Amino acid sequence: MVDRAVLAHPLFTGVSMEHLAALVAELASPWTAAEEGRRCQVRGGLRRRAPGAGARYRLVFVDRVIVTLIHLRHDLPHAVLALLFDVDRSTVTRGIGEVRALLAQRGCAVPDCPGLRLRTLQDVFAYAQAEGIELRLDATEVQVRRPAAGRGGRRAFVSGKKKQNTMKATVIADWRGRTLWADALRPGRVHDATAARAAGITGCFEYFGEVEVLLDDGYLGLSRDYPGQAITPPRKPRPGVPARRIEQWDHDRHAHSSDRITVEHALAHHKYWKQLRRWTHRRDRLPDTYRAVVSLVSDRRA
């Protein structure tokens, strides 16, 4: 069998050995608490044997974290991972489900603030207003399987932009391209501005009046409702205006694009993880998967 130490290499997991060690230390306690809670519910009371007694895990917690990272990074089937770790496929499936849920609950790391993580949109706006940070917001789509024939809502996933069945995520990044927040995924047919409004961005604009967010042309409605806060590219001048006005518009539009491009860089880092390029599993598991990947990507220090 393959040496399990080899499978912990960054080429397989997508994270450094130091990052992996920190993840194991961070997630061990909540995983143990959740496991003890599940066992207590199954047995109907407190444990009767001393800790450590009974059957041993064939897939220990460290291996469960590594299996989950390999699955997220390379989208290897559960049966292949079970063969690599010499366990049953159901063990891998259960382990991935447990660790993925823990990763999804972590939130996004805050630059230069170890231990502090942002989990809600309100957290992001409060952090931006306190630190005087200009945010960047954009939406990205992940291709998913088409719903089975005869089911209602099949057209809800058809993206008008991609012309494919997709699910859409709204993402916020800072000026360095570091991910600060990702919304729960919505069907691809939902408009970008509608998804942002549904996530609660209008309430954040009203409560945090000093925060500015750079947006693209898909959010013109927000720019109209919250001028000075929701900033979209300048509108093209009408025909017949002086050439100097056209040059100024082109310069301003290029400057806006250069400032906003960091959120595109953040989205590109998400797509390094193969599962977010094309999702071939159950759609109800994609939101947790996306948030898990976002939490891992936000940990980067550069």
Side-chain angles (χ1 to χ4, degrees):
M1 303 304 297
V2 178
D3 187 355
R4 296 190 179 187
V6 175
L7 296 175
H9 193 276
L11 290 177
F12 290 99
T13 62
V15 300
S16 65
M17 299 298 289
E18 294 79 7
H19 191 182
L20 176 61
L23 281 175
V24 171
E26 177 185 347
L27 302 179
S29 295
W31 179 82
T32 303
E35 188 68 7
E36 288 299 324
R38 182 188 65 82
R39 290 181 173 183
C40 182
Q41 185 177 8
V42 170
R43 72 170 71 97
L46 300 177
R47 64 183 307 152
R48 298 179 177 85
R49 292 187 291 185
R56 300 293 189 270
Y57 287 107
R58 293 196 61 186
L59 192 68
V60 297
F61 176 68
V62 176
D63 289 339
R64 292 172 187 247
V65 175
I66 295 174
V67 163
T68 304
L69 294 178
I70 295 176
H71 184 58
L72 293 174
R73 186 71 174 186
H74 301 287
D75 200 18
L76 290 182
H78 293 186
V80 175
L81 293 170
L83 178 63
L84 292 175
F85 284 84
D86 193 22
V87 295
D88 189 76
R89 185 194 59 80
S90 62
T91 302
V92 170
T93 301
R94 183 169 59 252
I96 290 176
E98 295 169 353
V99 176
R100 179 174 54 203
L102 294 176
L103 291 173
Q105 297 169 6
R106 295 176 70 227
C108 295
V110 178
D112 306 321
C113 297
L116 180 62
R117 305 191 74 89
L118 306 175
R119 292 180 173 85
T120 66
L121 186 61
Q122 291 76 15
D123 292 343
V124 177
F125 271 73
Y127 163 72
Q129 181 160 300
E131 299 293 333
I133 296 175
E134 189 178 51
L135 302 176
R136 280 86 169 147
L137 182 145
D138 201 2
T140 184
E141 299 182 56
V142 180
Q143 185 179 356
V144 297
R145 285 181 175 179
R146 185 181 184 186
R151 290 189 180 181
R154 292 187 83 196
R155 297 182 59 187
F157 293 92
V158 180
S159 168
K161 178 181 180 181
K162 297 280 188 179
K163 308 302 180 184
Q164 297 172 339
N165 289 268
T166 65
M167 293 188 70
K168 179 176 296 184
T170 303
V171 176
I172 291 181
D174 63 3
W175 61 275
R176 289 190 291 180
R178 299 191 55 153
T179 304
L180 300 179
W181 175 80
D183 182 27
L185 274 76
R186 307 177 190 278
R189 195 178 185 87
V190 177
H191 192 274
D192 292 358
T194 303
R197 291 179 187 274
I201 196 171
T202 55
C204 291
F205 276 136
E206 295 172 358
Y207 191 80
F208 301 97
E210 300 177 9
V211 179
E212 298 179 355
V213 182
L214 298 183
L215 307 163
D216 61 15
D217 287 330
Y219 299 90
L220 291 177
L222 289 175
S223 177
R224 180 188 63 247
D225 296 340
Y226 301 95
Q229 289 183 270
I231 304 173
T232 55
R235 308 308 301 158
K236 186 176 182 179
R238 295 183 178 182
V241 300
R244 182 178 300 177
R245 178 70 182 86
I246 298 293
E247 293 177 1
Q248 183 63 38
W249 165 80
D250 188 64
H251 177 271
D252 294 344
R253 188 176 183 87
H254 180 75
H256 181 277
S257 177
S258 298
D259 290 339
R260 200 192 64 83
I261 197 64
T262 56
V263 69
E264 303 287 354
H265 298 162
L267 298 178
H269 283 289
H270 302 170
K271 298 302 176 69
Y272 289 163
W273 298 73
K274 190 174 180 181
Q275 285 205 335
L276 298 187
R277 299 177 193 172
R278 186 177 186 273
W279 181 254
T280 58
H281 311 281
R282 292 175 51 178
R283 289 187 303 277
D284 58 349
R285 294 177 181 172
L286 180 55
D288 270 357
T289 300
Y290 200 100
R291 284 192 288 261
V293 171
V294 165
S295 76
L296 295 170
V297 172
S298 70
D299 289 335
R300 66 186 182 91
R301 298 179 181 178

